[in-house]
Amino acid sequence: MNALAALGEALVLIGTFFYFLSALGLIRMPDVYNRMQTSTKSATLGSLGVLVGTGLWAVGDGLSWAWFVKATVIAVFLLLTNPISAHALIRAAYKSGIPLWQGSVVDKYREHIEAKASPGAAESESTEEGGEE
Amino acid sequence: MVSLLKRSLAIISILIIGYWLAQGLAGVPFGQDKMLVGHYYLQHVKEQTGAVNAVTAIVVNYRGFDTLGEVTVLFIASTGVGALLWRKKRERTAKTEGSVVLTTGVELLFPFIVMFGSYIFIHGHLTPGGGFPGGATIATAFLLLYMAFISYEIPHRLFENLEGIAGMSYVLVGLIGLAIGGYFLFDWIWQTWHWGTSNLGRLFSGGFIPVIYTIIGIKVGTELSGIVDNMLKEEVGE
């Protein structure tokens, strides 16, 4: 049982480390899109580590498996919802005209929108996958 | 520079009020056992109400009038929003549909959120939560549907009827208590029928707390969804 507790503690440590990286990325990254990228990815992973880790830790300390089940349910919920919310936020940021970082070199989405706005004008960018827009 | 004067005056007065409140709180002994009524609740909550969660027992059972008042406040808020925003012809005026990721995610999540909200209000006597958080969670699910789809609307007829029926059944449960036990909101399921007395700490216990919390959950969920529906509509000229 103590192996489970040790595994849980290690997972919580890894999770908090990713939380720290996520906060660091929020400070260090230049624009909204990069910040969202770093913060959501590592925060999701950190939450998974912390939640599953606390579940295992509790079981290893002699509490019931209900802890692990509940923590896993919350982890799965976060895993499913966090990317959707990040997607919605980034899409809303792009739609409201927040510019990319000046170091960015390519903006295929704008080309896609422009190609759709004036068909025939830009055949060269017709290689994108057909998103909804 | 008037705004600067205004702002500094506001900050100074807020600081004075805060200092005054802190002085008042400094006399309150935190961490000491000063409970008078609290002891009674904690010692008698199990055999008197059957609820493991003392908070819901107090809120629904010992002081059920307050909860009835809160439900009334919510009902008045919902009615008030409906009355303020009343127009002959109103429609949703959302311009852009959510992306495919969002709509699919909402479609997948909606039943789970409703299920979780129901879980919260059904287990009000066992776990933290109760009717109000459960109902708010269910309303969140409908808010998600409103946010993701352009022309989604709640089933109005069903929701308004459910809201009214739920409110009436709360009062009805209290009136049955009045008829059986002699006072309004008397817990007849527990005190008179002794139903679930051997089942303490499990789902089928807790007297009428689960019944009332189911009613409150349905009422709060439909009410908040109705408020969201009212606020997201705009008048269409015609």
Side-chain angles (χ1 to χ4, degrees):
Chain A
M1 273 313 204
N2 259 332
L4 268 184
L7 183 63
E9 284 171 29
L11 274 176
V12 170
L13 192 66
I14 293 171
T16 42
F17 176 65
F18 274 101
Y19 275 150
F20 173 72
L21 287 187
S22 159
L24 190 68
L26 214 54
I27 298 168
R28 291 283 298 163
M29 283 296 159
D31 71 343
V32 175
Y33 307 101
N34 282 313
R35 261 177 258 149
M36 285 294 293
Q37 148 98 0
T38 49
S39 60
T40 47
K41 256 188 196 171
S42 45
T44 311
L45 187 63
S47 313
L48 288 187
V50 167
L51 283 166
V52 177
T54 33
L56 287 177
W57 194 347
V59 172
D61 273 354
L63 297 166
S64 74
W65 278 94
W67 282 79
F68 181 71
V69 173
K70 279 179 190 170
T72 314
V73 166
I74 299 170
V76 169
F77 182 76
L78 270 181
L79 181 67
L80 290 179
T81 51
N82 226 346
I84 298 175
S85 62
H87 162 84
L89 277 174
I90 287 192
R91 196 163 174 274
Y94 194 91
K95 295 244 166 195
S96 55
I98 291 175
L100 270 66
W101 179 45
Q102 66 266 19
S104 320
V105 287
V106 61
D107 189 357
K108 286 274 188 186
Y109 188 44
R110 166 157 298 161
E111 290 168 13
H112 177 68
I113 292 174
E114 280 165 1
K116 269 192 72 176
S118 59
E123 297 93 348
S124 53
E125 285 96 15
S126 60
T127 52
E128 283 118 293
E129 71 276 22
E132 82 299 334
E133 251 317 306
Chain B
M1 283 296 104
V2 181
S3 72
L4 185 65
L5 181 68
K6 236 182 199 172
R7 195 170 295 171
S8 45
L9 271 179
I11 289 173
I12 288 168
S13 56
I14 283 174
L15 280 177
I16 290 171
I17 291 173
Y19 176 74
W20 181 56
L21 286 178
Q23 280 301 308
L25 284 177
V28 178
F30 285 107
Q32 289 174 34
D33 194 358
K34 285 278 186 184
M35 286 192 292
L36 296 171
V37 196
H39 274 305
Y40 179 81
Y41 285 149
L42 288 179
Q43 281 158 11
H44 299 281
V45 67
K46 279 185 186 167
E47 80 264 22
Q48 281 186 347
T49 68
V52 183
N53 186 350
V55 175
T56 54
I58 291 167
V59 164
V60 175
N61 213 316
Y62 289 112
R63 288 161 183 212
F65 263 126
D66 291 358
T67 309
L68 191 60
E70 279 171 31
V71 170
T72 316
V73 165
L74 254 181
F75 176 70
I76 291 171
S78 159
T79 322
V81 168
L84 275 178
L85 299 174
W86 189 80
R87 295 277 188 288
K88 267 275 157 38
K89 192 154 177 65
R90 303 176 63 217
E91 275 176 13
R92 292 284 313 280
T93 50
K95 298 290 188 298
T96 49
E97 179 109 1
S99 67
V100 167
V101 177
L102 193 63
T103 50
T104 316
V106 168
E107 269 175 8
L108 283 176
L109 279 172
F110 176 74
F112 289 105
I113 297 176
V114 171
M115 183 185 76
F116 184 60
S118 317
Y119 170 85
I120 291 177
F121 67 64
I122 288 171
H123 291 76
H125 56 302
L126 303 174
T127 54
F132 290 95
T137 312
I138 288 177
T140 314
F142 285 101
L143 177 65
L144 266 182
L145 283 183
Y146 269 103
M147 289 292 159
F149 297 97
I150 293 180
S151 60
Y152 177 77
E153 287 203 32
I154 52 170
H156 289 278
R157 184 67 58 80
L158 172 73
F159 266 40
E160 281 149 21
N161 287 342
L162 260 182
E163 190 184 327
I165 289 170
M168 285 198 310
S169 9
Y170 189 1
V171 178
L172 192 69
V173 171
L175 284 180
I176 293 173
L178 183 66
I180 293 179
Y183 58 94
F184 191 59
L185 289 172
F186 173 74
D187 189 354
W188 39 282
I189 296 180
W190 185 263
Q191 303 275 1
T192 310
W193 292 4
H194 303 292
W195 192 72
T197 326
S198 60
N199 222 1
L200 196 68
R202 292 172 194 268
L203 182 58
F204 293 108
S205 71
F208 71 1
I209 293 175
V211 178
I212 282 187
Y213 262 161
T214 307
I215 290 168
I216 292 178
I218 291 170
K219 189 163 168 58
V220 170
T222 49
E223 237 155 34
L224 294 181
S225 310
I227 289 178
V228 166
D229 174 74
N230 266 321
M231 287 192 161
L232 282 176
K233 278 181 175 173
E234 281 179 29
E235 194 173 6
V236 286
E238 196 195 355

